[in-house]
């Protein structure tokens, strides 16, 4: 039996050690350079203030011009090339873009329009249209699916920024500097096996990542088992060592495996958990946010009047969202610093912008979302907890999260937790038991986003680099051993 396990470990190592070395090296790159994305804060900072004097067509005009059955799931007023643009999201039916002032539908965005949007996004910077693509190495994200195809616009700034402009809405949806693009070839792009995205291998990408991660986890576990079997805990070999290997590469592979084996296993296994293999982390719990249905009848206050009231209160709105909270319509406004204001949209006389909903109202609203279950704990968090926390903007789950939030725990079969943001009235996070388990099996073991480490950098950096360096050294010694086994 041992002989068979030795052979399985040997041949799995020959096949997978290159992959594992690549994963550990690219993991270090990703600590400092993430996959390109345009953060919410960056996008808001580039938008002009919405003009309440010259804007806008009515909501009814937008809905009629959209020409879709049913009501949209969301409505947002933003700016494209310095001009107001309404975006009506119909879910799977796609996003409809309309000129915010005239109410006319925008059916496709050409190269000239994309250039105008890019120049407004980065004023004073020369822009050049490259081409129109559905997807490329830096735009694989599913979040962009509703925006495709994408115009690629090259900006002549010092960072050699490439902007991606949606051919459907005209929005700038992604930016990627030359430095980000360069490092991503040896960072996120290779770490996530994106060479298999696109073309004939696209539909197999998920399986390729999942099964290669399973095989690598088995390889690492077998390596630990073999390493322990071969280590002499009592007595020594003739060489005076507790390891039977005299050849340097074999010896170092054995010793490094014993030293870093556990961390190597957890790193590879946690990467596997990020893929949610075979849906093992799905609980089937319904999304409570789906219970807040959008209805045009809830919004009788014109957007023009909403912008006027926001401006009169000293708030420079750069984007406006139509939201339903507790059965009533509200405008959610954003300024260039990511701050928000709320305004009742039901036509109430004298309604004025306000910063946040009352906590008691949010408590009642959250409890009603799972009316068949009891709230076992309600807490107002003024600091992040283990499951609701912030990471650097470039990381996969990065970005600032609002505080304070209301956390509700329920006694339902899925042991649901809800995090409600009083500044927007939205459920910003929903967790069940399976998702909390994923937080430990993936987020902690893979990137060690543990508050005592994250708050004490560079200790987090050193810990992560040690893990990746140990795993990479194991892999490199395995590559050499495998090459020697295969060569004539």
């Amino acid at each position: 039996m041992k002989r068979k396990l030795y052979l399985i470990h040997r041949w799995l190592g020959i096949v997978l050690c290159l992959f594992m070395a690549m994963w550990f090296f690219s993991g270090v790159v990703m600590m400092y350079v993430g996959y390109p994305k345009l953060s919410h804060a960056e996008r808001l900072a580039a938008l002009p203030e919405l003009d309440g004097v010259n804007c806008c067509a009515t909501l009814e005009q937008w809905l009629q011009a959209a020409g879709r059955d049913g009501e949209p799931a969301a409505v947002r007023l933003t700016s494209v090339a310095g001009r107001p643009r309404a975006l009506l999201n119909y879910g799977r039916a796609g996003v409809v873009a309309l000129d915010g002032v005239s109410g006319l539908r925008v059916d496709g965005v050409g190269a000239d329009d994309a250039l105008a949007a890019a120049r407004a996004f980065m004023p004073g910077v020369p822009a050049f249209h490259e081409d129109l693509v559905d997807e490329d190495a830096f735009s694989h994200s599913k979040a962009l699916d509703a925006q495709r195809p994408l115009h690629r616009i090259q900006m002549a700034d010092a960072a050699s920024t490439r902007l991606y402009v949606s051919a459907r809405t005209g929005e700038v949806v992604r930016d990627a500097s030359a430095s980000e693009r360069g490092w991503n070839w040896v960072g996120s792009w290779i770490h996530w096996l994106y060479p298999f995205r696109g073309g004939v291998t696209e539909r197999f990408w998920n399986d390729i990542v999942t099964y290669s991660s399973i095989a690598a986890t088995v390889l690492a576990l077998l390596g630990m088992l073999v390493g322990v079997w071969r280590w002499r805990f009592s007595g020594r070999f003739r060489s005076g060592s507790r390891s039977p290997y005299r050849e340097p590469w074999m010896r170092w592979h054995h010793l490094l495996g014993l030293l870093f084996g556990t961390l190597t296993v957890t790193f590879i296994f946690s990467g596997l958990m990020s893929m949610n293999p075979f849906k093992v982390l799905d609980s089937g719990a319904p999304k409570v946010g789906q219970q807040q249905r959008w209805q045009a009848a809830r919004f009788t206050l014109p957007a023009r009047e909403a912008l006027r009231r926001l401006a009169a209160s000293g708030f420079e709105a750069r984007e406006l969202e139509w939201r339903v909270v507790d059965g009533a319509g509200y405008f959610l406004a954003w300024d260039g610093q990511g701050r928000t204001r709320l305004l009742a949209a039901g036509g109430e006389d004298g309604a004025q912008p306000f910063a946040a909903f009352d906590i008691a109202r949010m408590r009642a609203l959250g409890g009603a979302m799972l009316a068949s279950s009891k709230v076992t704990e309600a807490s107002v968090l003024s600091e992040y907890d283990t499951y609701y926390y912030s990471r650097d903007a470039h990381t996969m789950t990065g970005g600032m999260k609002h505080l304070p939030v209301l956390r509700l725990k329920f006694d339902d079969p899925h042991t649901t937790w809800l995090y409600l943001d009083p500044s927007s009235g939205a459920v910003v996070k929903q967790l069940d038991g399976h998702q909390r388990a994923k937080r430990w099996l993936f987020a902690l073991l893979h990137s060690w986003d543990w508050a005592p480490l994250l708050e004490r950098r560079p200790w987090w950096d050193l810990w992560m680099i040690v893990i990746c360096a140990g795993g990479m050294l194991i892999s490199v010694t395995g590559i050499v051993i495998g090459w020697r086994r295969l060569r004539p």
Side-chain angles (χ1 to χ4, degrees):
M1 182 61 182
K2 285 186 178 181
R3 176 65 177 169
K4 290 181 180 179
L5 294 179
Y6 291 160
L7 290 174
I8 293 172
H9 177 68
R10 173 190 298 170
W11 291 105
L12 277 178
I14 289 173
V15 173
L16 292 172
C17 270
L18 278 170
F19 273 90
M20 293 178 66
M22 172 271 295
W23 277 327
F24 284 109
F25 176 79
S26 58
V28 175
V29 174
M30 291 173 67
M31 289 168 56
Y32 305 102
V33 183
Y35 193 64
K37 63 180 177 180
L38 181 65
S39 71
H40 188 53
E42 290 175 318
R43 188 175 60 80
L44 288 172
L47 295 176
E49 182 181 1
L50 290 169
D51 182 4
V53 176
N54 299 313
C55 180
C56 295
T58 65
L59 179 60
E60 290 75 16
Q61 288 175 304
W62 291 342
L63 293 171
Q64 185 176 2
R68 296 289 180 87
D69 294 330
E71 295 192 325
V75 174
R76 177 165 56 96
L77 179 65
T78 186
S79 297
V80 171
R83 185 176 176 85
R85 181 154 297 181
L87 303 175
L88 281 59
N89 188 335
Y90 286 87
R92 293 183 178 180
V95 178
V96 176
L98 306 110
D99 184 280
V101 178
S102 68
L104 296 177
R105 180 165 170 162
V106 177
D107 290 317
V109 175
D112 291 341
D113 294 327
L115 280 169
R119 289 171 181 145
F121 188 85
M122 297 179 64
V125 179
F128 307 92
H129 186 272
E130 289 190 337
D131 52 11
L132 180 69
V133 298
D134 189 66
E135 194 170 345
D136 69 2
F138 309 110
S139 58
H140 287 308
S141 309
K142 289 185 177 180
L144 298 179
D145 287 351
Q147 304 282 1
R148 305 184 197 280
L150 306 172
H151 292 279
R152 293 197 294 193
I153 309 295
Q154 184 60 50
M155 309 301 292
D157 62 326
S160 187
T161 303
R162 178 186 295 167
L163 297 181
Y164 293 78
V165 178
S166 170
R168 291 190 179 184
T169 67
E171 286 187 288
V172 175
V173 294
R174 175 147 299 181
D175 64 343
S177 67
S179 176
E180 284 180 310
R181 299 194 302 271
W183 279 109
N184 260 271
W185 293 115
V186 291
S188 302
W189 184 78
I190 193 71
H191 191 86
W192 294 333
L193 300 187
Y194 275 176
F196 296 104
R197 292 292 303 269
V200 296
T201 58
E202 170 70 30
R203 62 194 182 102
F204 302 111
W205 173 78
N206 188 84
D207 289 338
I208 291 171
V209 177
T210 298
Y211 287 106
S212 62
S213 299
I214 291 174
T217 302
V218 172
L219 166 64
L221 285 170
L222 286 177
M224 288 184 62
L225 185 61
V226 170
V228 171
W229 280 343
R230 299 293 285 162
W231 185 258
R232 183 160 287 181
F233 289 94
S234 59
R236 297 177 182 271
F237 291 95
R238 291 182 180 180
S239 63
S241 172
R242 296 184 186 275
S243 174
Y245 304 108
R246 296 186 178 184
E247 199 280 324
W249 288 105
M250 291 289 292
R251 182 180 176 83
W252 276 112
H253 188 70
H254 188 201
L255 296 177
L256 287 166
L258 290 172
L259 184 61
F260 293 103
T262 300
L263 292 173
T264 299
V265 169
T266 58
F267 186 84
I268 301 296
F269 174 75
S270 57
L272 168 64
M273 288 297 101
S274 72
M275 300 299 295
N276 189 16
F278 316 115
K279 307 299 181 183
V280 296
L281 296 174
D282 287 353
S283 68
K287 295 294 183 183
V288 298
Q290 296 174 354
Q291 298 174 12
Q292 294 292 305
R293 296 188 60 188
W294 197 94
Q295 291 182 3
R298 305 178 195 269
F299 301 93
T300 58
L301 186 70
R304 177 181 299 178
E305 176 62 18
L307 291 173
R308 189 194 67 78
R309 294 186 189 183
L310 286 162
S313 71
F315 190 83
E316 298 181 356
R318 299 197 177 189
E319 199 162 81
L320 207 60
E321 295 180 30
W322 280 246
R323 301 183 67 92
V324 175
V325 179
D326 197 16
Y330 292 88
F331 291 107
L332 174 64
W334 298 83
D335 72 1
Q337 287 74 48
R339 295 171 299 196
T340 62
R341 287 294 184 275
L342 289 155
L343 177 64
E348 294 86 345
D349 292 336
Q352 294 299 314
F354 60 100
F357 289 103
D358 181 78
I359 290 294
R361 182 176 181 184
M362 298 304 297
R363 166 70 173 78
L365 172 62
M369 290 181 179
L370 287 173
S372 60
S373 302
K374 180 182 178 181
V375 175
T376 59
E377 181 184 317
S379 306
V380 177
L381 304 182
S382 56
E383 296 181 353
Y384 296 124
D385 69 1
T386 303
Y387 302 96
Y388 182 80
Y389 55 92
S390 177
R391 290 291 312 274
D392 290 338
H394 71 269
T395 60
M396 186 171 64
T397 57
M400 293 298 296
K401 293 181 172 60
H402 281 180
L403 286 173
V405 293
L406 174 65
R407 184 184 66 194
L408 300 178
K409 298 181 181 181
F410 294 84
D411 65 353
D412 65 308
H414 301 289
T415 60
T416 300
W417 293 11
L418 297 182
Y419 293 79
L420 293 92
D421 181 7
S423 68
S424 66
V427 177
V428 291
K429 199 174 190 66
Q430 177 180 349
L431 295 172
D432 55 44
H434 288 68
Q435 291 164 325
R436 291 194 293 276
K438 183 179 179 179
R439 186 264 182 272
W440 296 103
L441 296 176
F442 166 54
L444 177 70
L445 296 179
H446 205 67
S447 54
W448 283 87
D449 48 359
W450 182 42
L453 274 177
L454 290 174
E455 295 169 357
R456 292 170 176 82
R457 298 186 70 172
W459 292 112
W460 176 83
D461 302 70
L462 293 172
W463 175 244
M464 291 298 298
I465 290 171
V466 166
I467 293 175
C468 291
M472 190 163 65
L473 287 172
I474 294 174
S475 304
V476 169
T477 55
I479 292 169
V480 174
I481 295 167
W483 170 250
R484 291 184 172 186
R485 171 67 60 174
L486 292 175
R487 70 182 181 181

